[in-house]
Amino acid sequence: MTDQDETTETTATDLTAKEIRKRKRRMPPPDPTPLPGLVDAHTHLAACGGRAEEDVRVILDRAEAVGVEQVVTVADDMVDARWAVAAAHWDSRAFAAVGLHPTHAADLDDAARAELTEMVADPRVVAVGETGLDYYWTTRSDDCADPAVQRDAFAWHIDLAKRSGKPLMIHNREADRDLLDVLAAEGAPETVIMHCFSGTPAIARECVDLGYVLSFSGTVTFTNSVELREAALLTPDELILVETDAPFLTPHPYRGQPNQSYCLPYTARALAELRGVSEEQMAETLGGNARKLYSVPLR
Ligand SMILES: [Zn+2]
Ligand SMILES: [Zn+2]
């Protein structure tokens, strides 16, 4: 839906400023100019409205039309993990990552361990995660696993990544120091991807020195994300990825509106501008890294 479609129903003068803002928030951003070669390194297709096979196809068609050729859909809980694996089998452009989000770490019982171990062996599953530590929700939600439970589950996922040889997809919210300490104590797997990197430039430096991959979402485009842009600037070419984390974190100037994989070129272009390279070159670097790290075949 475009701006025009929305305003033809009711003229702006009939609406209060608050209603206009509310409508705008529900409005999907326009399709960006195509930027071929991209891979959305982290999205949540089901949460984007892609519950059924046909809906997944529609989301991926729209993404492909603007150059986002493949996506990794990431699980939060066991139901989501089963769904992500199914989606990756429905459509050749979708790959899955399975694991328990740190907020759901308490669900990691023996049955879940057995099932996740089995799922990770599926060739359409390209990463273990998202796992890690989330200290934001521990104080704000009664349902969130406490830090000790999160640490145990994180350690188990680290081991699963090592056993399976697949990349570890890390979620980190307000837990930089503990997260890096757990990784060091357990021994990091070969490929560590810091999804939606949100740390300081100093943490970014520490990560890249350890060879960890930093994946940047729409937050890197936000006007107040000065430190995050510094982090993106110091990340070497071989350790950078781009993701939507859709339906969240829609890039500037569409912040707060619904996000989907087709919005990825906005963030990729912002990274190109920041790093002073052509958008084509940036897309080749970002897409190439995703295909290599996730061992995703070229289509
Ligand atoms: Zn996350
Ligand atoms: Zn996510």
Side-chain angles (χ1 to χ4, degrees):
M1 193 189 283
T2 65
D3 266 80
Q4 235 156 12
D5 293 333
E6 189 76 27
T7 46
T8 43
E9 306 169 20
T10 324
T11 57
T13 47
D14 295 333
L15 301 169
T16 65
K18 202 176 154 205
E19 277 170 334
I20 292 169
R21 277 201 305 274
K22 232 163 106 185
R23 283 182 166 222
K24 192 168 171 259
R25 272 204 302 274
R26 285 198 302 264
M27 216 188 289
D31 289 34
T33 307
L35 183 55
L38 291 170
V39 176
D40 188 348
H42 182 117
T43 185
H44 300 272
L45 287 176
C48 290
R51 269 281 150 206
E53 187 170 349
E54 169 61 16
D55 304 324
V56 167
R57 196 178 60 75
V58 170
I59 292 172
L60 297 179
D61 282 351
R62 189 170 184 186
E64 191 177 9
V66 295
V68 184
E69 294 158 10
Q70 289 147 327
V71 311
V72 178
T73 190
V74 183
D76 273 3
D77 60 19
M78 292 309 293
V79 173
D80 212 25
R82 289 176 205 122
W83 184 88
V85 177
H89 282 274
W90 292 335
D91 197 301
S92 64
R93 298 165 293 188
F95 295 84
V98 297
L100 286 174
H101 191 281
T103 55
H104 298 296
D107 296 348
L108 191 65
D109 56 14
D110 287 347
R113 286 169 209 250
E115 196 177 350
L116 286 170
T117 304
E118 200 177 310
M119 281 185 202
V120 165
D122 189 305
R124 303 292 301 172
V125 173
V126 295
V128 174
E130 51 186 300
T131 179
L133 299 173
D134 189 319
Y135 291 174
Y136 177 83
W137 285 112
T138 45
T139 53
R140 290 172 178 83
S141 161
D142 294 339
D143 299 335
C144 183
D146 70 49
V149 174
Q150 291 189 26
R151 271 195 289 275
D152 285 349
F154 183 30
W156 184 82
H157 284 86
I158 293 170
D159 184 57
L160 180 61
K162 287 195 275 196
R163 279 187 280 133
S164 64
K166 293 190 179 177
L168 183 70
M169 167 99 71
I170 290 190
H171 170 98
N172 166 25
R173 198 155 178 200
E174 297 182 5
D176 292 345
R177 189 70 270 145
D178 282 5
L179 191 122
L180 293 173
D181 288 350
V182 174
L183 265 174
E186 298 296 322
E190 195 184 322
T191 304
V192 173
I193 297 167
M194 308 293 279
H195 121 75
C196 188
F197 183 79
S198 59
T200 60
I203 291 288
R205 169 67 63 204
E206 198 172 332
C207 288
V208 303
D209 284 349
L210 290 162
Y212 299 168
V213 179
L214 306 188
S215 182
F216 292 93
S217 73
T219 53
V220 77
T221 70
F222 293 174
T223 30
N224 56 350
S225 296
V226 179
E227 286 212 320
L228 203 47
R229 280 190 284 281
E230 236 179 273
L233 202 49
L234 65 79
T235 307
D237 272 350
E238 63 278 14
L239 296 178
I240 192 166
L241 284 176
V242 70
E243 63 172 70
T244 57
D245 202 14
F248 318 106
L249 310 176
T250 315
H252 177 80
Y254 308 106
R255 186 176 181 175
Q257 293 173 236
N259 197 9
Q260 266 192 20
S261 290
Y262 80 87
C263 297
L264 193 66
Y266 291 118
T267 308
R269 283 199 171 91
L271 287 172
E273 199 188 325
L274 176 72
R275 293 162 70 89
V277 296
S278 72
E279 56 185 53
E280 292 79 12
Q281 195 185 327
M282 195 72 244
E284 200 182 307
T285 299
L286 295 165
N289 284 348
R291 291 187 180 92
K292 190 171 139 233
L293 293 161
Y294 291 126
S295 306
V296 163
L298 272 172
R299 294 184 66 238

